Amino acid sequence: MTDYGHDLLFGSFVTPAAGRPQQAVDLAVTTDRSGLDLVTFQDHPYQASYLDTSTLLAYVAARTENVHISANVTSLPLRPPAVLARAAASLDLLSGGRFELGIGAGAFWDGIEAMGGRRLTAGEAVEALREGIAVIRDIWDTDTRGGVRHHGRYYEVDGAKRGPRPAHDIAVWVGAYKPRMLALTGAVGDGWLPSVEYLPRGAESLPEMNARIDEAAEAAGRSPSAVRRLMNFMNVRFSPTSQGLLDGPVQAWSEQIAGLALEHGLSAFVIGGDDPATIERFGAEVAPAARELVARERGR
């Protein structure tokens, strides 16, 4: 059993459909008004049927008041890290400290290449992400004197001015599944942000994948608890009887979430489905019940 001790977060994973642009905004507003903590959007700049996620995030930040916002996850190969760092810090300042940086090494390489990005192998993409995160954090680091200089294999930054400084310490959440990406997450990430449907064996994969992150964190001189474990759940439903993971009544949802938190260290639960009623019920009924269960167990 692993409980990393983080406060629980709850959020939504909204489809940024260009054909229904107001729907994405309305779902974000619903997420905010439902008292949830996060609203997130997938980032596929090569997908013409989707809104540009960076533009959508800025618009949503202006339409919401309390909810934190993030890409789930940013496609680094099409968003240069130094520019991404300034965009992230700017949006964090404008939103009053409500931006977090979900980030990935890239996928769908045909689409990335078609948009002018470099096609990388899986190993190259991991190393490019490691370099990119270092550049991003250097841009945010306004306490260090002098410009940012990074002479890497994939990114070259030669004397860029530091700043602006974000309004709060932006978390870097890494979308990771394979061993090298999990190791990178443990070494340099603030969080792990996968989807349960893409794990090799669903939730049964969590002990092994958590262990890889923990080992890499310790090897880098970090505590495993420095890495928050987040999870997307795309296939969710409220139903009278329990049919599976997050498919059943409120009590079943709450108990399953509490179990995942206490046994596998998950502390952020993000649901898809684009259904406003589900989002509202998630915030009003599931989140408080799950928090109460976890607090009760932690207090023993």
Coordinates of all heavy atoms in Angstrom, one line a residue, residues 69-128:
I69 N -6.3 25.3 -14.4 CA -6.4 24.9 -15.8 C -5.1 24.3 -16.2 O -4.0 24.7 -15.8 CB -6.8 26.1 -16.6 CG1 -5.8 27.3 -16.5 CG2 -8.2 26.6 -16.3 CD1 -6.1 28.4 -17.4
S70 N -5.2 23.3 -17.2 CA -4.0 22.7 -17.7 C -4.3 22.0 -19.0 O -5.5 21.5 -19.2 CB -3.5 21.7 -16.7 OG -2.4 21.0 -17.2
A71 N -3.3 21.9 -19.8 CA -3.4 21.0 -21.0 C -3.2 19.6 -20.4 O -2.6 19.4 -19.4 CB -2.3 21.3 -22.0
N72 N -3.8 18.6 -21.2 CA -3.7 17.2 -20.7 C -3.4 16.3 -21.8 O -4.3 15.5 -22.2 CB -5.1 16.9 -20.0 CG -5.1 15.7 -19.2 OD1 -4.2 14.8 -19.3 ND2 -6.2 15.5 -18.5
V73 N -2.2 16.4 -22.4 CA -1.0 17.2 -22.0 C -0.5 17.9 -23.2 O -0.8 17.6 -24.3 CB 0.1 16.3 -21.4 CG1 -0.3 15.7 -20.1 CG2 0.5 15.2 -22.4
T74 N 0.3 19.0 -22.9 CA 0.8 19.8 -24.0 C 1.8 19.0 -24.9 O 2.6 18.3 -24.4 CB 1.7 21.0 -23.4 OG1 0.8 21.8 -22.6 CG2 2.3 21.8 -24.5
S75 N 1.6 19.2 -26.2 CA 2.5 18.5 -27.2 C 3.8 19.3 -27.3 O 3.8 20.3 -28.1 CB 1.8 18.4 -28.5 OG 2.6 17.8 -29.5
L76 N 4.8 19.0 -26.6 CA 6.0 19.8 -26.6 C 6.7 19.9 -28.0 O 7.2 21.0 -28.3 CB 7.1 19.2 -25.6 CG 8.4 19.9 -25.5 CD1 8.2 21.3 -25.0 CD2 9.4 19.2 -24.7
P77 N 6.7 18.9 -28.8 CA 7.3 19.0 -30.1 C 6.8 20.2 -31.0 O 7.5 20.7 -31.9 CB 7.1 17.7 -30.8 CG 6.9 16.7 -29.7 CD 6.2 17.5 -28.6
L78 N 5.6 20.7 -30.7 CA 5.0 21.8 -31.5 C 4.9 23.1 -30.7 O 4.4 24.1 -31.1 CB 3.7 21.4 -32.0 CG 3.7 20.4 -33.2 CD1 2.3 19.9 -33.6 CD2 4.4 20.9 -34.4
R79 N 5.5 23.1 -29.5 CA 5.5 24.3 -28.6 C 6.9 24.5 -28.0 O 7.2 23.9 -27.0 CB 4.4 24.1 -27.5 CG 3.0 23.8 -28.1 CD 1.9 24.0 -27.1 NE 0.6 23.7 -27.7 CZ -0.2 24.5 -28.4 NH1 0.3 25.7 -28.7 NH2 -1.3 24.1 -28.9
P80 N 7.7 25.3 -28.7 CA 9.1 25.5 -28.2 C 9.1 25.8 -26.7 O 8.4 26.7 -26.2 CB 9.6 26.7 -29.0 CG 8.7 26.7 -30.3 CD 7.4 26.2 -29.8
P81 N 10.0 25.2 -25.9 CA 9.9 25.3 -24.5 C 10.1 26.7 -23.9 O 9.5 27.0 -22.9 CB 11.0 24.3 -24.0 CG 11.9 24.1 -25.2 CD 11.0 24.2 -26.4
A82 N 11.0 27.5 -24.5 CA 11.2 28.8 -24.0 C 9.9 29.7 -24.1 O 9.5 30.4 -23.3 CB 12.4 29.5 -24.6
V83 N 9.3 29.5 -25.3 CA 8.1 30.3 -25.6 C 6.9 29.7 -24.7 O 6.1 30.5 -24.1 CB 7.7 30.2 -27.1 CG1 6.4 30.9 -27.3 CG2 8.8 30.8 -27.9
L84 N 6.9 28.4 -24.6 CA 5.9 27.7 -23.7 C 6.0 28.2 -22.3 O 5.0 28.5 -21.6 CB 6.0 26.2 -23.8 CG 5.1 25.4 -22.9 CD1 3.6 25.7 -23.2 CD2 5.4 23.9 -23.1
A85 N 7.2 28.4 -21.8 CA 7.5 28.8 -20.4 C 6.9 30.2 -20.2 O 6.3 30.5 -19.2 CB 9.0 28.8 -20.1
R86 N 7.1 31.1 -21.2 CA 6.6 32.5 -21.0 C 5.1 32.5 -21.2 O 4.4 33.2 -20.4 CB 7.2 33.4 -22.1 CG 8.7 33.7 -21.9 CD 9.1 35.1 -22.1 NE 10.4 35.3 -21.6 CZ 11.5 35.3 -22.4 NH1 11.5 35.1 -23.6 NH2 12.7 35.6 -21.8
A87 N 4.5 31.7 -22.0 CA 3.1 31.6 -22.2 C 2.5 31.1 -20.9 O 1.5 31.6 -20.4 CB 2.7 30.7 -23.3
A88 N 3.1 30.1 -20.3 CA 2.6 29.5 -19.0 C 2.6 30.5 -17.9 O 1.7 30.7 -17.1 CB 3.4 28.2 -18.7
A89 N 3.8 31.2 -17.8 CA 3.9 32.2 -16.7 C 2.9 33.3 -16.9 O 2.3 33.8 -15.9 CB 5.3 32.7 -16.7
S90 N 2.7 33.7 -18.1 CA 1.8 34.8 -18.4 C 0.4 34.4 -18.0 O -0.3 35.2 -17.4 CB 1.9 35.2 -19.9 OG 3.2 35.6 -20.2
L91 N 0.0 33.2 -18.4 CA -1.4 32.8 -18.1 C -1.5 32.6 -16.6 O -2.6 32.8 -16.0 CB -1.7 31.5 -18.8 CG -3.2 31.0 -18.8 CD1 -4.1 32.2 -19.1 CD2 -3.4 29.9 -19.8
D92 N -0.5 32.1 -15.9 CA -0.6 32.0 -14.5 C -0.7 33.4 -13.8 O -1.5 33.5 -12.8 CB 0.7 31.3 -14.0 CG 0.6 30.8 -12.5 OD1 -0.4 30.0 -12.3 OD2 1.4 31.1 -11.7
L93 N 0.0 34.4 -14.3 CA -0.2 35.7 -13.7 C -1.6 36.3 -14.0 O -2.2 36.8 -13.1 CB 0.9 36.6 -14.3 CG 2.3 36.4 -13.8 CD1 3.3 37.1 -14.8 CD2 2.5 36.9 -12.4
L94 N -2.0 36.1 -15.2 CA -3.4 36.6 -15.6 C -4.5 36.0 -14.8 O -5.5 36.6 -14.5 CB -3.6 36.5 -17.1 CG -2.7 37.4 -17.9 CD1 -2.8 37.0 -19.4 CD2 -3.2 38.9 -17.8
S95 N -4.3 34.7 -14.5 CA -5.4 33.9 -13.8 C -5.3 33.9 -12.3 O -6.1 33.3 -11.6 CB -5.4 32.5 -14.3 OG -4.2 31.8 -13.9
G96 N -4.3 34.6 -11.8 CA -4.1 34.6 -10.3 C -3.5 33.3 -9.8 O -3.9 32.9 -8.7
G97 N -2.6 32.7 -10.5 CA -2.0 31.5 -10.0 C -2.8 30.2 -10.2 O -2.7 29.3 -9.4
R98 N -3.5 30.1 -11.4 CA -4.4 29.0 -11.6 C -3.9 28.1 -12.8 O -4.7 27.2 -13.2 CB -5.8 29.4 -11.8 CG -6.4 30.0 -10.5 CD -7.9 30.3 -10.7 NE -8.3 31.3 -11.6 CZ -9.0 31.1 -12.7 NH1 -9.5 30.0 -13.1 NH2 -9.3 32.2 -13.5
F99 N -2.7 28.2 -13.2 CA -2.3 27.4 -14.4 C -1.3 26.4 -13.9 O -0.4 26.6 -13.1 CB -1.6 28.3 -15.4 CG -1.1 27.6 -16.6 CD1 -2.0 27.2 -17.6 CD2 0.2 27.2 -16.7 CE1 -1.5 26.5 -18.7 CE2 0.7 26.4 -17.8 CZ -0.2 26.1 -18.8
E100 N -1.5 25.1 -14.4 CA -0.5 24.1 -14.2 C -0.1 23.5 -15.6 O -0.8 23.6 -16.6 CB -1.1 22.9 -13.4 CG -1.8 23.4 -12.1 CD -0.9 24.1 -11.1 OE1 0.3 24.0 -11.2 OE2 -1.5 24.7 -10.1
L101 N 1.1 23.0 -15.7 CA 1.7 22.6 -17.0 C 1.7 21.1 -17.1 O 2.6 20.4 -16.7 CB 3.1 23.1 -17.1 CG 3.7 22.8 -18.5 CD1 2.9 23.4 -19.6 CD2 5.2 23.4 -18.5
G102 N 0.6 20.5 -17.7 CA 0.7 19.1 -18.2 C 1.5 19.1 -19.4 O 1.3 19.9 -20.3
I103 N 2.4 18.1 -19.6 CA 3.3 18.1 -20.7 C 3.6 16.7 -21.1 O 3.7 15.8 -20.3 CB 4.6 18.9 -20.4 CG1 5.4 19.3 -21.7 CG2 5.4 18.2 -19.4 CD1 6.4 20.3 -21.4
G104 N 3.8 16.5 -22.4 CA 4.2 15.2 -22.9 C 5.3 15.3 -24.0 O 5.5 16.3 -24.6
A105 N 5.8 14.1 -24.3 CA 7.0 14.0 -25.2 C 6.5 14.1 -26.7 O 7.3 14.3 -27.6 CB 7.8 12.8 -25.0
G106 N 5.2 13.9 -26.9 CA 4.7 13.9 -28.3 C 4.2 12.5 -28.7 O 4.7 11.5 -28.2
A107 N 3.2 12.6 -29.5 CA 2.6 11.4 -30.1 C 2.1 11.8 -31.5 O 2.1 12.9 -31.8 CB 1.6 10.8 -29.2
F108 N 1.6 10.8 -32.3 CA 1.0 11.1 -33.6 C 2.1 11.9 -34.4 O 1.8 13.0 -34.8 CB -0.3 11.8 -33.5 CG -1.3 11.2 -32.6 CD1 -1.5 11.6 -31.3 CD2 -2.0 10.0 -33.1 CE1 -2.4 11.0 -30.5 CE2 -2.9 9.4 -32.2 CZ -3.1 9.8 -31.0
W109 N 3.2 11.2 -34.7 CA 4.3 11.9 -35.3 C 4.1 12.3 -36.7 O 4.6 13.3 -37.2 CB 5.6 11.1 -35.2 CG 6.0 11.0 -33.8 CD1 5.8 10.0 -32.9 CD2 6.7 12.0 -33.0 NE1 6.3 10.3 -31.6 CE2 6.9 11.5 -31.7 CE3 7.2 13.3 -33.4 CZ2 7.5 12.3 -30.7 CZ3 7.9 14.0 -32.4 CH2 8.0 13.5 -31.1
D110 N 3.2 11.6 -37.4 CA 2.8 12.1 -38.8 C 2.2 13.5 -38.7 O 2.5 14.3 -39.5 CB 1.8 11.1 -39.4 CG 2.5 9.8 -39.8 OD1 3.7 9.7 -39.9 OD2 1.7 8.8 -40.1
G111 N 1.3 13.7 -37.8 CA 0.7 15.0 -37.6 C 1.6 16.0 -37.2 O 1.6 17.2 -37.6
I112 N 2.5 15.7 -36.2 CA 3.5 16.6 -35.8 C 4.4 17.1 -36.9 O 4.7 18.3 -37.1 CB 4.4 16.0 -34.7 CG1 3.5 15.9 -33.4 CG2 5.6 16.8 -34.4 CD1 4.2 15.1 -32.3
E113 N 4.9 16.1 -37.7 CA 5.7 16.4 -38.9 C 5.0 17.2 -39.9 O 5.6 18.2 -40.5 CB 6.3 15.1 -39.5 CG 7.4 15.3 -40.5 CD 8.0 14.0 -40.9 OE1 7.3 13.0 -41.1 OE2 9.3 13.9 -41.0
A114 N 3.7 17.0 -40.1 CA 2.9 17.7 -41.1 C 2.8 19.2 -40.7 O 2.6 20.0 -41.6 CB 1.5 17.1 -41.2
M115 N 2.9 19.5 -39.4 CA 2.8 20.8 -38.9 C 4.1 21.5 -38.8 O 4.2 22.6 -38.3 CB 2.1 20.8 -37.5 CG 0.6 20.5 -37.6 SD -0.4 21.8 -38.2 CE -0.4 23.0 -36.8
G116 N 5.2 20.9 -39.2 CA 6.5 21.5 -39.2 C 7.4 21.0 -38.1 O 8.5 21.5 -37.9
G117 N 6.9 20.1 -37.2 CA 7.7 19.6 -36.1 C 8.7 18.6 -36.6 O 8.5 18.0 -37.6
R118 N 9.6 18.3 -35.7 CA 10.6 17.2 -36.0 C 10.1 15.9 -35.6 O 9.5 15.7 -34.5 CB 11.9 17.5 -35.2 CG 12.7 18.6 -35.7 CD 14.0 18.8 -34.9 NE 13.7 19.1 -33.5 CZ 14.6 19.3 -32.6 NH1 15.9 19.1 -32.8 NH2 14.3 19.6 -31.3
R119 N 10.3 14.9 -36.5 CA 9.9 13.5 -36.1 C 11.1 13.0 -35.3 O 12.2 13.0 -35.7 CB 9.7 12.7 -37.4 CG 9.4 11.2 -37.1 CD 9.2 10.4 -38.4 NE 8.1 10.8 -39.1 CZ 6.9 10.3 -39.0 NH1 6.7 9.3 -38.1 NH2 5.9 10.7 -39.8
L120 N 10.7 12.4 -34.1 CA 11.7 11.9 -33.2 C 11.4 10.4 -32.9 O 10.2 10.0 -33.0 CB 11.7 12.7 -31.9 CG 12.1 14.2 -32.0 CD1 11.9 14.8 -30.6 CD2 13.5 14.4 -32.5
T121 N 12.4 9.7 -32.6 CA 12.2 8.3 -32.1 C 11.7 8.4 -30.7 O 11.7 9.5 -30.0 CB 13.4 7.5 -32.1 OG1 14.4 8.0 -31.2 CG2 14.1 7.5 -33.5
A122 N 11.2 7.3 -30.1 CA 10.7 7.3 -28.8 C 11.8 7.8 -27.8 O 11.5 8.6 -26.9 CB 10.2 5.9 -28.4
G123 N 13.0 7.2 -27.9 CA 14.1 7.6 -27.1 C 14.5 9.1 -27.2 O 14.7 9.7 -26.2
E124 N 14.5 9.5 -28.4 CA 14.8 11.0 -28.7 C 13.8 11.9 -28.0 O 14.1 12.9 -27.5 CB 14.9 11.2 -30.2 CG 16.1 10.6 -30.8 CD 16.1 10.7 -32.3 OE1 15.0 10.9 -32.9 OE2 17.2 10.6 -33.0
A125 N 12.5 11.5 -28.2 CA 11.4 12.3 -27.6 C 11.5 12.4 -26.1 O 11.3 13.5 -25.5 CB 10.1 11.7 -28.0
V126 N 12.0 11.4 -25.4 CA 12.1 11.4 -24.0 C 13.2 12.4 -23.6 O 13.1 13.2 -22.7 CB 12.4 10.0 -23.4 CG1 12.8 10.1 -21.9 CG2 11.2 9.1 -23.6
E127 N 14.4 12.3 -24.3 CA 15.5 13.2 -24.0 C 15.1 14.7 -24.3 O 15.5 15.6 -23.6 CB 16.7 12.8 -24.7 CG 17.3 11.4 -24.2 CD 17.4 11.4 -22.7 OE1 18.0 12.4 -22.1 OE2 16.8 10.5 -22.0
A128 N 14.4 14.9 -25.4 CA 13.9 16.2 -25.8 C 13.0 16.8 -24.7 O 13.1 18.0 -24.4 CB 13.2 16.2 -27.1

